[in-house]
């Protein structure tokens, strides 16, 4: 049973481009959480999704950021028109039940905006 | 003030020493997690606690719900224990999301 898979591991984008980060949860997990770790800062919650639904997006920046978790395929975190301040590590976690009873994290995607 | 505070921020130890990392929180929680993050690496869950004490190998985690405090102990520390240790809580009122401490950078020298 593979763990939470994130890709790419490293992503370099120029200012103004779009970044797409993918997260495949563990098998049987239908709840996905995205977190962001800015340089020299702690992890911060961004969004919680269930299949085809956004449950809690209270941590998402109001503009340029969106997330989805379709019926088929991975969850996608999309950042439009990236800026230098978006450079960070983005982690995905999944759980089989609501309430994040266990914390299964992916390896993260390290986004660098140049 | 952060809802989750860890101390110390940085800790350097000699191989074999007993290590304690502390976590205090100011909100009602349903669970507390201890996580480990290696440089450039992913995040590994070490423990999830809602009461009492758990042990796994050389690692021990305790929580005191009344005092809103948890500790992570490492016995007979080893250089491979060098990592960032992160305390995270699941707040009673937030449903599913985790709130994290800033992390403790542990360096164990041979």
């Amino acid at each position: 049973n593979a763990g939470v898979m994130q890709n790419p591991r490293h992503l370099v984008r120029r200012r103004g481009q779009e970044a797409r980060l993918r997260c495949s949860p563990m098998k049987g997990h239908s709840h996905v959480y995205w977190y962001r770790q800015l340089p020299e800062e702690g992890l911060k919650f961004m969004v919680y999704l269930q299949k085809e639904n956004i449950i809690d997006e209270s941590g998402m920046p109001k503009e340029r950021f969106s997330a989805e978790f379709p019926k088929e395929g991975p969850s996608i975190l999309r950042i439009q028109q990236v800026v230098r301040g978006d450079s960070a590590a983005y982690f995905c976690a999944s759980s089989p039940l609501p309430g994040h009873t266990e914390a299964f994290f992916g390896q993260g995607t390290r986004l660098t905006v140049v | 003030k952060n809802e989750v505070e860890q101390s110390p921020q940085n800790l350097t130890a000699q191989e074999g020493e007993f290590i304690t990392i502390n976590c205090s929180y100011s909100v009602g929680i349903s669970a507390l997690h201890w996580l480990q993050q290696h440089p450039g690496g992913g995040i590994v869950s070490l423990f999830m606690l809602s009461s009492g004490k758990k042990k796994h190998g050389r690692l021990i985690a305790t929580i005191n719900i009344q005092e809103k405090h948890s500790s992570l102990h490492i016995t007979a520390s080893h250089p491979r224990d060098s990592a960032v240790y992160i305390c995270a809580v699941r707040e009673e009122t937030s449903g599913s999301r985790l709130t994290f401490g800033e992390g403790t950078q542990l360096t164990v020298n041979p």
Side-chain angles (χ1 to χ4, degrees):
Chain A
N1 187 9
V4 179
M5 304 298 291
Q6 288 188 248
N7 67 80
R9 290 290 307 277
H10 299 276
L11 181 61
V12 179
R13 284 286 177 265
R14 294 188 183 281
R15 280 179 293 174
Q17 290 185 318
E18 178 179 288
R20 281 182 167 245
L21 288 62
R22 294 175 189 77
C23 169
S24 296
M26 288 182 69
K27 189 176 179 181
H29 289 195
S30 57
H31 302 264
V32 164
Y33 312 80
W34 285 93
Y35 298 95
R36 179 167 67 173
Q37 187 176 39
L38 291 165
E40 308 302 321
E41 292 189 22
L43 287 146
K44 297 283 193 295
F45 168 79
M46 298 184 77
V47 63
Y48 162 39
L49 308 109
Q50 246 180 296
K51 285 280 187 182
E52 300 184 275
N53 286 305
I54 296 174
I55 307 300
D56 179 358
E57 56 180 348
S58 57
M60 286 277 271
K62 293 286 184 279
E63 296 176 351
R64 303 187 297 108
F65 284 72
S66 62
E68 63 176 8
F69 189 15
K71 188 176 179 182
E72 301 291 336
S75 176
I76 305 286
L77 179 67
R78 183 179 175 212
I79 311 171
Q80 295 178 289
Q81 298 175 327
V82 295
V83 300
R84 288 252 172 89
D86 297 333
S87 295
Y90 292 82
F91 288 93
C92 165
S94 73
S95 73
L97 298 168
H100 212 323
T101 50
E102 290 287 344
F104 299 99
F105 284 83
Q107 291 288 303
T109 293
R110 277 145 186 88
L111 172 66
T112 302
V113 180
V114 297
Chain B
K1 186 178 187 297
N2 290 337
E3 291 166 328
V4 182
E5 299 271 356
Q6 285 186 237
S7 63
Q9 278 189 307
N10 294 282
L11 181 56
T12 300
Q14 287 300 122
E15 184 172 355
E17 285 185 3
F18 180 83
I19 286 160
T20 296
I21 299 170
N22 296 299
C23 175
S24 296
Y25 51 92
S26 57
V27 295
I29 68 168
S30 52
L32 181 143
H33 296 259
W34 281 102
L35 310 168
Q36 181 192 56
Q37 185 177 25
H38 283 279
I43 296 168
V44 174
S45 178
L46 299 174
F47 294 103
M48 186 186 72
L49 296 158
S50 53
S51 65
K53 176 180 175 178
K54 286 191 177 180
K55 185 176 189 291
H56 181 70
R58 294 180 295 105
L59 302 178
I60 303 165
T62 63
I63 187 167
N64 185 319
I65 297 292
Q66 285 74 29
E67 294 187 4
K68 296 188 174 176
H69 181 269
S70 176
S71 293
L72 176 69
H73 305 285
I74 305 175
T75 61
S77 60
H78 190 275
R80 65 174 174 266
D81 296 326
S82 298
V84 176
Y85 291 84
I86 303 168
C87 172
V89 302
R90 180 152 49 88
E91 298 178 38
E92 285 174 330
T93 56
S94 73
S96 304
R97 68 176 185 268
L98 293 175
T99 302
F100 300 83
E102 296 288 312
T104 295
Q105 172 69 62
L106 171 65
T107 304
V108 182
N109 293 317

